Amino acid sequence: MSEYYLGLMSGTSVDGIDAALVDFGNERPTLLYARTFDWPETLRQRILQILADPDAVTVRALGQLHAAIGEQFGSVALAAIEAAHLQREQIAAIGSHGQTLYHDPDGEHPFSMQSGDANRIAEITGITTVADFRGRDIAAGGQGAPLVPAFHRAVFYDPDVSRAILNIGGIANLTLLPKSAGPVLGFDTGPGNGLMDAWHQKHRQSRFDRDGRWAGSGSIKQAMLERLLDQPYFRQPPPKSTGRELFNLRWLETELTSNGSAAQAEDVQRTLLELTAVTVARALQRYAPDTQQLLVCGGGAHNRMLMERLCALLAPVELASTESYGLHPDWVEAAAFAWLAKQTLEGKPGNLPEVTGARRPVVLGAIYPASGITPFGPVD
Ligand SMILES: Nc1ncnc2c1ncn2[C@@H]1O[C@H](COP(=O)(O)OP(=O)(O)O)[C@@H](O)[C@H]1O
Ligand SMILES: [Mg+2]
């Protein structure tokens, strides 16, 4: 069987669908092709609407969205395979994370809902598709997140260097890889780019603050920062995970109102950037004070001002892009879901119980076989 896998991912930023075609046939994963495909704007707006007001959605709208996202992921898969000049038959499987619509791992009936019907992806592509990665970990008592740490360990662990991997998406998550090879810790630190994006979209009418330039024109409002840092999530010990259900514009605006004093919009942006940097730095200092090197990935790795602040707060820890260690920061997460699909098809666990809090390692996801065959042999 080929060792080419395709990972499909859309994160909480809803900035695009990442597709990463990875060859796992060598000692280290090799990226064959990767691209972020734009969401069709109407589909993106439907997703954003549900994320902003999840209680207002109807079952019918949810079902239709699930189908539409599945079809979109299916077309993205075909486009990626064609652009990579590969044939579908060469792809062992697709790992589709889908689009998270609601993440609630700590409620009465814990769940995490990713939309994007994988039946559609398998039918459109004729390629075995693995999806719904989070559900089994949650069923085993875990957070269902983060799931990337096992992949981070497989790719970035170094017995000579105590490393941590920081993925800055809408939410930021850390994987701690001490050189002693003890248990791997990993958790969501809190907001990554998400709050900055939301504030920027509201005041500047474009999707994000390129290089943190707008933030750079403002100044930190200390009282506001302290108030935001007072959110109990930041004090909660791991395992923990979070999402837009907590860290969203509504939460921010409530906090700003309670904070009283009016601030310039750019000062809020600067303070939000500091919030991301400080919560990451404190988490690292608390749970992995011996870290020598922090490898950064996710869209936030491109935010120059954020990187400068992290560097300053964490000195003498060396900051580097995951690119210096073989994987461009934009594709680590999609590559992780390609790898998780491979784990599933090989019957291997994809979660790390010490990270998610699950009772045991479990094989993640559901398998949607390519037409006519299952990974275990012919159907008929
Ligand atoms: N040049 C840049 N400057 C600042 N921020 C950037 C830049 N490029 C990307 N980003 C940020 O990265 C985000 C996308 O990151 P991504 O890792 O895809 O997050 P997610 O996993 O939530 O989709 C964008 O919404 C934006 O905030
Ligand atoms: Mg993204």
Side-chain angles (χ1 to χ4, degrees):
M1 193 152 111
S2 125
E3 294 287 302
Y4 295 176
Y5 287 78
L6 173 62
L8 297 176
M9 169 82 208
S10 174
T12 50
S13 306
V14 204
D15 58 314
I17 303 167
D18 299 332
L21 260 163
V22 191
D23 179 4
F24 289 108
N26 311 308
E27 197 194 328
R28 297 181 63 84
T30 317
L31 207 55
L32 301 172
Y33 176 82
R35 188 182 139 190
T36 299
F37 290 81
D38 286 339
W39 282 105
E41 197 48 37
T42 49
L43 192 50
R44 182 168 180 270
Q45 288 307 326
R46 280 162 71 189
I47 295 167
L48 291 174
Q49 217 172 355
I50 289 181
L51 293 176
D53 191 4
D55 293 332
V57 68
T58 65
V59 174
R60 182 166 58 176
L62 200 59
Q64 288 173 342
L65 188 66
H66 188 50
I69 295 177
E71 282 173 11
Q72 192 58 36
F73 271 47
S75 339
V76 160
L78 287 184
I81 293 164
E82 192 185 329
H85 306 294
L86 292 171
Q87 305 300 317
R88 301 175 202 196
E89 300 70 39
Q90 292 176 272
I91 314 299
I94 294 172
S96 174
H97 173 270
Q99 174 64 56
T100 296
L101 293 185
Y102 208 92
H103 182 66
D104 185 17
D106 298 310
E108 191 189 350
H109 297 287
F111 75 98
S112 187
M113 183 181 279
Q114 282 72 43
S115 185
D117 186 4
N119 291 293
R120 299 297 214 287
I121 305 174
E123 191 62 24
I124 290 170
T125 60
I127 298 169
T128 295
T129 302
V130 186
D132 189 16
F133 287 94
R134 302 196 187 274
R136 190 58 180 268
D137 181 79
I138 291 180
Q143 292 277 308
L147 294 180
V148 286
F151 177 67
H152 289 165
R153 180 176 69 178
V155 178
F156 298 118
Y157 170 70
D158 185 331
D160 297 320
V161 188
S162 282
R163 271 190 184 150
I165 317 301
L166 172 64
N167 173 31
I168 314 177
I171 296 293
N173 62 272
L174 264 177
T175 302
L176 311 176
L177 300 172
K179 60 183 175 189
S180 56
V184 174
L185 255 186
F187 53 91
D188 289 344
T189 55
N193 310 300
L195 291 174
M196 289 190 277
D197 281 1
W199 191 252
H200 192 268
Q201 282 158 21
K202 179 170 175 177
H203 292 273
R204 308 281 286 186
Q205 287 78 45
S206 75
R207 285 209 194 160
F208 64 88
D209 182 16
R210 190 166 293 280
D211 302 332
R213 272 186 235 144
W214 187 45
S217 70
S219 42
I220 301 169
K221 293 290 164 191
Q222 205 55 43
M224 188 193 299
L225 179 62
E226 295 303 329
R227 176 159 190 109
L228 298 175
L229 284 168
D230 213 29
Q231 158 59 233
Y233 181 82
F234 299 123
R235 287 192 297 276
Q236 206 178 301
K240 61 175 178 176
S241 61
T242 189
R244 287 173 84 124
E245 299 74 24
L246 171 60
F247 294 110
N248 55 42
L249 196 56
R250 225 172 325 125
W251 172 75
L252 173 63
E253 289 182 331
T254 309
E255 295 299 316
L256 294 183
T257 310
S258 317
N259 189 49
S261 67
Q264 298 294 321
E266 60 271 27
D267 294 343
V268 175
Q269 187 74 4
R270 177 67 188 87
T271 306
L272 290 175
L273 185 144
E274 197 68 11
L275 178 70
T276 295
V278 167
T279 48
V280 166
R282 285 187 183 173
L284 197 67
Q285 282 152 353
R286 171 140 192 218
Y287 292 103
D290 296 331
T291 300
Q292 296 162 280
Q293 198 177 45
L294 180 66
L295 304 188
V296 189
C297 58
H302 300 296
N303 185 325
R304 206 172 308 151
M305 170 121 211
L306 181 58
M307 289 305 102
E308 278 169 22
R309 288 304 299 142
L310 274 172
C311 214
L313 289 166
L314 285 168
V317 174
E318 180 200 338
L319 240 72
S321 158
T322 52
E323 189 167 24
S324 319
Y325 295 87
L327 255 185
H328 186 282
D330 288 347
W331 317 122
V332 176
E333 216 174 4
F337 283 90
W339 183 83
L340 284 167
K342 176 172 152 70
Q343 291 289 105
T344 300
L345 291 182
E346 291 174 356
K348 294 176 186 164
N351 66 335
L352 295 176
E354 61 269 37
V355 168
T356 64
R359 285 182 291 276
R360 61 192 186 91
V362 282
V363 178
L364 301 176
I367 301 170
Y368 299 74
S371 16
I373 55 153
T374 75
F376 315 108
V379 169
D380 42 25

